[in-house]
Short mmCIF file of all heavy atoms in Angstrom, two decimals:
data_model
loop_
_atom_site.label_atom_id
_atom_site.label_comp_id
_atom_site.label_asym_id
_atom_site.label_seq_id
_atom_site.Cartn_x
_atom_site.Cartn_y
_atom_site.Cartn_z
N LEU A 411 47.83 5.37 85.75
CA LEU A 411 46.63 6.10 85.34
C LEU A 411 46.96 7.56 85.04
O LEU A 411 46.40 8.15 84.11
CB LEU A 411 45.57 6.00 86.44
CG LEU A 411 44.92 4.63 86.62
CD1 LEU A 411 43.93 4.66 87.77
CD2 LEU A 411 44.23 4.18 85.34
N MET A 412 47.86 8.16 85.82
CA MET A 412 48.26 9.54 85.53
C MET A 412 48.97 9.63 84.18
O MET A 412 48.77 10.59 83.42
CB MET A 412 49.16 10.06 86.65
CG MET A 412 48.42 10.39 87.92
SD MET A 412 49.43 11.30 89.13
CE MET A 412 50.47 9.98 89.74
N PHE A 413 49.80 8.63 83.86
CA PHE A 413 50.48 8.60 82.56
C PHE A 413 49.47 8.51 81.41
O PHE A 413 49.55 9.28 80.43
CB PHE A 413 51.45 7.43 82.53
CG PHE A 413 51.84 6.97 81.16
CD1 PHE A 413 52.54 7.80 80.30
CD2 PHE A 413 51.48 5.71 80.71
CE1 PHE A 413 52.88 7.38 79.02
CE2 PHE A 413 51.82 5.28 79.45
CZ PHE A 413 52.51 6.12 78.60
N VAL A 414 48.50 7.60 81.53
CA VAL A 414 47.48 7.46 80.48
C VAL A 414 46.63 8.73 80.38
O VAL A 414 46.26 9.16 79.28
CB VAL A 414 46.61 6.23 80.77
CG1 VAL A 414 45.49 6.10 79.73
CG2 VAL A 414 47.46 4.96 80.75
N ALA A 415 46.33 9.33 81.53
CA ALA A 415 45.51 10.54 81.53
C ALA A 415 46.21 11.69 80.80
O ALA A 415 45.60 12.38 79.97
CB ALA A 415 45.19 10.95 82.97
N ILE A 416 47.49 11.90 81.09
CA ILE A 416 48.22 12.99 80.43
C ILE A 416 48.34 12.71 78.93
O ILE A 416 48.23 13.63 78.10
CB ILE A 416 49.59 13.17 81.07
CG1 ILE A 416 49.44 13.60 82.54
CG2 ILE A 416 50.43 14.20 80.33
CD1 ILE A 416 50.74 13.66 83.31
N ALA A 417 48.54 11.45 78.57
CA ALA A 417 48.61 11.09 77.14
C ALA A 417 47.28 11.37 76.44
O ALA A 417 47.26 11.85 75.30
CB ALA A 417 49.01 9.62 77.00
N CYS A 418 46.16 11.06 77.11
CA CYS A 418 44.85 11.33 76.51
C CYS A 418 44.63 12.83 76.31
O CYS A 418 44.06 13.25 75.29
CB CYS A 418 43.75 10.76 77.40
SG CYS A 418 43.65 8.96 77.42
N MET A 419 45.08 13.63 77.25
CA MET A 419 44.88 15.08 77.11
C MET A 419 45.81 15.71 76.08
O MET A 419 45.49 16.77 75.51
CB MET A 419 45.08 15.75 78.48
CG MET A 419 43.96 15.45 79.47
SD MET A 419 44.07 16.39 81.01
CE MET A 419 45.48 15.58 81.77
N LEU A 420 46.95 15.09 75.81
CA LEU A 420 47.89 15.64 74.83
C LEU A 420 47.67 15.08 73.42
O LEU A 420 48.14 15.68 72.45
CB LEU A 420 49.33 15.35 75.26
CG LEU A 420 49.83 16.06 76.52
CD1 LEU A 420 51.27 15.67 76.80
CD2 LEU A 420 49.71 17.56 76.39
N TYR A 421 46.98 13.96 73.31
CA TYR A 421 46.81 13.33 71.99
C TYR A 421 46.11 14.25 70.98
O TYR A 421 46.46 14.23 69.79
CB TYR A 421 46.05 12.02 72.14
CG TYR A 421 45.76 11.35 70.82
CD1 TYR A 421 46.78 10.71 70.11
CD2 TYR A 421 44.48 11.40 70.26
CE1 TYR A 421 46.52 10.12 68.88
CE2 TYR A 421 44.22 10.81 69.04
CZ TYR A 421 45.24 10.17 68.35
OH TYR A 421 44.97 9.59 67.14
N PRO A 422 45.08 15.04 71.36
CA PRO A 422 44.45 15.92 70.35
C PRO A 422 45.42 16.88 69.67
O PRO A 422 45.11 17.38 68.58
CB PRO A 422 43.40 16.68 71.17
CG PRO A 422 43.05 15.74 72.28
CD PRO A 422 44.34 15.07 72.63
N LEU A 423 46.57 17.16 70.27
CA LEU A 423 47.54 18.03 69.60
C LEU A 423 48.01 17.43 68.28
O LEU A 423 48.32 18.16 67.33
CB LEU A 423 48.74 18.28 70.53
CG LEU A 423 48.46 19.13 71.77
CD1 LEU A 423 49.72 19.22 72.62
CD2 LEU A 423 47.98 20.52 71.39
N CYS A 424 48.07 16.10 68.22
CA CYS A 424 48.48 15.45 66.97
C CYS A 424 47.45 15.71 65.86
O CYS A 424 47.82 15.95 64.70
CB CYS A 424 48.64 13.95 67.20
SG CYS A 424 49.94 13.52 68.38
N ASP A 425 46.16 15.69 66.21
CA ASP A 425 45.14 16.01 65.22
C ASP A 425 45.22 17.46 64.77
O ASP A 425 45.06 17.78 63.59
CB ASP A 425 43.75 15.72 65.80
CG ASP A 425 43.54 14.25 66.11
OD1 ASP A 425 44.23 13.41 65.48
OD2 ASP A 425 42.71 13.92 66.99
N VAL A 426 45.49 18.36 65.70
CA VAL A 426 45.62 19.77 65.35
C VAL A 426 46.81 19.98 64.43
O VAL A 426 46.74 20.74 63.45
CB VAL A 426 45.75 20.63 66.62
CG1 VAL A 426 46.03 22.08 66.28
CG2 VAL A 426 44.49 20.52 67.47
N ILE A 427 47.93 19.30 64.71
CA ILE A 427 49.11 19.42 63.85
C ILE A 427 48.81 18.90 62.45
O ILE A 427 49.24 19.48 61.44
CB ILE A 427 50.29 18.65 64.49
CG1 ILE A 427 50.76 19.39 65.75
CG2 ILE A 427 51.44 18.52 63.51
CD1 ILE A 427 51.82 18.66 66.52
N THR A 428 48.04 17.83 62.36
CA THR A 428 47.67 17.29 61.05
C THR A 428 46.79 18.28 60.29
O THR A 428 46.95 18.47 59.08
CB THR A 428 46.93 15.96 61.23
OG1 THR A 428 47.76 15.06 61.97
CG2 THR A 428 46.58 15.35 59.89
N VAL A 429 45.87 18.93 60.96
CA VAL A 429 45.00 19.92 60.32
C VAL A 429 45.82 21.09 59.79
O VAL A 429 45.56 21.62 58.71
CB VAL A 429 43.93 20.41 61.30
CG1 VAL A 429 43.15 21.59 60.73
CG2 VAL A 429 42.97 19.27 61.63
N LEU A 430 46.84 21.49 60.52
CA LEU A 430 47.68 22.62 60.11
C LEU A 430 48.62 22.26 58.97
O LEU A 430 49.29 23.14 58.42
CB LEU A 430 48.50 23.14 61.29
CG LEU A 430 47.70 23.74 62.45
CD1 LEU A 430 48.62 24.16 63.58
CD2 LEU A 430 46.87 24.93 61.96
N GLY A 431 48.69 20.97 58.62
CA GLY A 431 49.57 20.55 57.53
C GLY A 431 51.01 20.40 57.93
O GLY A 431 51.89 20.31 57.06
N LEU A 432 51.29 20.33 59.22
CA LEU A 432 52.66 20.16 59.69
C LEU A 432 52.98 18.67 59.79
O LEU A 432 52.07 17.84 59.92
CB LEU A 432 52.84 20.83 61.06
CG LEU A 432 52.57 22.34 61.09
CD1 LEU A 432 52.68 22.86 62.52
CD2 LEU A 432 53.56 23.07 60.20
N PRO A 433 54.26 18.29 59.73
CA PRO A 433 54.61 16.86 59.84
C PRO A 433 54.25 16.32 61.22
O PRO A 433 54.73 16.81 62.24
CB PRO A 433 56.12 16.84 59.60
CG PRO A 433 56.58 18.24 59.88
CD PRO A 433 55.45 19.14 59.52
N ALA A 434 53.38 15.32 61.25
CA ALA A 434 52.90 14.76 62.52
C ALA A 434 53.38 13.33 62.74
O ALA A 434 52.82 12.62 63.57
CB ALA A 434 51.37 14.79 62.56
N THR A 435 54.43 12.92 62.01
CA THR A 435 54.89 11.53 62.14
C THR A 435 55.40 11.21 63.53
O THR A 435 54.98 10.20 64.12
CB THR A 435 55.99 11.24 61.10
OG1 THR A 435 55.47 11.51 59.80
CG2 THR A 435 56.43 9.80 61.18
N PRO A 436 56.28 12.03 64.16
CA PRO A 436 56.76 11.65 65.49
C PRO A 436 55.85 12.12 66.62
O PRO A 436 56.25 12.08 67.78
CB PRO A 436 58.12 12.35 65.57
CG PRO A 436 57.92 13.60 64.77
CD PRO A 436 56.95 13.25 63.69
N CYS A 437 54.64 12.59 66.30
CA CYS A 437 53.79 13.19 67.33
C CYS A 437 53.41 12.16 68.39
O CYS A 437 53.46 12.44 69.59
CB CYS A 437 52.55 13.80 66.71
SG CYS A 437 51.46 14.63 67.88
N ILE A 438 53.00 10.97 67.96
CA ILE A 438 52.59 9.93 68.91
C ILE A 438 53.76 9.55 69.81
O ILE A 438 53.59 9.37 71.03
CB ILE A 438 52.07 8.69 68.17
CG1 ILE A 438 50.84 9.05 67.33
CG2 ILE A 438 51.72 7.59 69.15
CD1 ILE A 438 49.67 9.54 68.15
N LEU A 439 54.95 9.45 69.24
CA LEU A 439 56.13 9.11 70.03
C LEU A 439 56.43 10.20 71.05
O LEU A 439 56.73 9.92 72.22
CB LEU A 439 57.32 8.89 69.10
CG LEU A 439 58.61 8.36 69.74
CD1 LEU A 439 58.38 6.97 70.31
CD2 LEU A 439 59.74 8.33 68.72
N ILE A 440 56.34 11.46 70.63
CA ILE A 440 56.61 12.57 71.54
C ILE A 440 55.58 12.62 72.65
O ILE A 440 55.91 12.83 73.83
CB ILE A 440 56.64 13.90 70.75
CG1 ILE A 440 57.82 13.91 69.78
CG2 ILE A 440 56.71 15.08 71.70
CD1 ILE A 440 57.85 15.11 68.87
N VAL A 441 54.31 12.41 72.31
CA VAL A 441 53.25 12.42 73.33
C VAL A 441 53.44 11.29 74.33
O VAL A 441 53.26 11.48 75.54
CB VAL A 441 51.87 12.33 72.64
CG1 VAL A 441 50.78 12.01 73.66
CG2 VAL A 441 51.55 13.64 71.93
N THR A 442 53.84 10.12 73.85
CA THR A 442 54.00 8.97 74.75
C THR A 442 55.13 9.22 75.75
O THR A 442 54.94 9.09 76.96
CB THR A 442 54.29 7.71 73.93
OG1 THR A 442 53.21 7.48 73.02
CG2 THR A 442 54.44 6.51 74.84
N PHE A 443 56.31 9.57 75.25
CA PHE A 443 57.44 9.79 76.15
C PHE A 443 57.22 11.04 77.01
O PHE A 443 57.58 11.05 78.20
CB PHE A 443 58.73 9.90 75.35
CG PHE A 443 59.28 8.58 74.90
CD1 PHE A 443 59.01 8.10 73.62
CD2 PHE A 443 60.04 7.81 75.74
CE1 PHE A 443 59.51 6.89 73.20
CE2 PHE A 443 60.55 6.59 75.33
CZ PHE A 443 60.28 6.12 74.06
N GLY A 444 56.65 12.08 76.42
CA GLY A 444 56.39 13.28 77.20
C GLY A 444 55.40 13.03 78.33
O GLY A 444 55.56 13.54 79.44
N SER A 445 54.38 12.20 78.08
CA SER A 445 53.41 11.88 79.12
C SER A 445 54.05 11.05 80.22
O SER A 445 53.75 11.24 81.41
CB SER A 445 52.23 11.12 78.51
OG SER A 445 51.60 11.88 77.51
N PHE A 446 54.94 10.13 79.85
CA PHE A 446 55.62 9.32 80.86
C PHE A 446 56.49 10.19 81.76
O PHE A 446 56.45 10.08 83.00
CB PHE A 446 56.47 8.25 80.18
CG PHE A 446 57.34 7.47 81.12
CD1 PHE A 446 56.80 6.50 81.94
CD2 PHE A 446 58.71 7.71 81.19
CE1 PHE A 446 57.61 5.78 82.82
CE2 PHE A 446 59.52 7.01 82.05
CZ PHE A 446 58.96 6.03 82.87
N PHE A 447 57.27 11.08 81.16
CA PHE A 447 58.13 11.96 81.96
C PHE A 447 57.29 12.90 82.82
O PHE A 447 57.64 13.17 83.98
CB PHE A 447 59.05 12.77 81.04
CG PHE A 447 60.02 11.92 80.26
CD1 PHE A 447 60.46 12.30 79.00
CD2 PHE A 447 60.49 10.73 80.79
CE1 PHE A 447 61.35 11.52 78.29
CE2 PHE A 447 61.39 9.94 80.09
CZ PHE A 447 61.81 10.34 78.84
N ALA A 448 56.20 13.42 82.26
CA ALA A 448 55.34 14.33 83.02
C ALA A 448 54.69 13.62 84.20
O ALA A 448 54.61 14.18 85.30
CB ALA A 448 54.27 14.92 82.11
N ALA A 449 54.23 12.38 84.00
CA ALA A 449 53.63 11.62 85.10
C ALA A 449 54.67 11.35 86.20
O ALA A 449 54.35 11.41 87.40
CB ALA A 449 53.05 10.30 84.58
N LEU A 450 55.90 11.08 85.80
CA LEU A 450 56.96 10.85 86.79
C LEU A 450 57.23 12.13 87.59
O LEU A 450 57.40 12.07 88.82
CB LEU A 450 58.22 10.38 86.08
CG LEU A 450 59.41 10.03 86.97
CD1 LEU A 450 59.06 8.89 87.92
CD2 LEU A 450 60.62 9.64 86.12
N CYS A 451 57.25 13.27 86.91
CA CYS A 451 57.49 14.54 87.62
C CYS A 451 56.33 14.86 88.56
O CYS A 451 56.56 15.33 89.69
CB CYS A 451 57.68 15.66 86.61
SG CYS A 451 59.19 15.55 85.64
N VAL A 452 55.10 14.61 88.13
CA VAL A 452 53.94 14.88 88.99
C VAL A 452 53.97 13.97 90.22
O VAL A 452 53.73 14.41 91.35
CB VAL A 452 52.64 14.69 88.19
CG1 VAL A 452 51.43 14.74 89.12
CG2 VAL A 452 52.51 15.76 87.12
#
Side-chain angles (χ1 to χ4, degrees):
L411 289 178
M412 286 191 285
F413 159 64
V414 177
I416 297 174
C418 289
M419 289 187 288
L420 293 180
Y421 176 74
L423 292 177
C424 297
D425 296 335
V426 174
I427 290 175
T428 303
V429 171
L430 296 177
L432 299 176
T435 303
C437 183
I438 299 298
L439 187 63
I440 294 174
V441 166
T442 301
F443 282 96
S445 301
F446 173 76
F447 296 149
L450 183 61
C451 292
V452 171

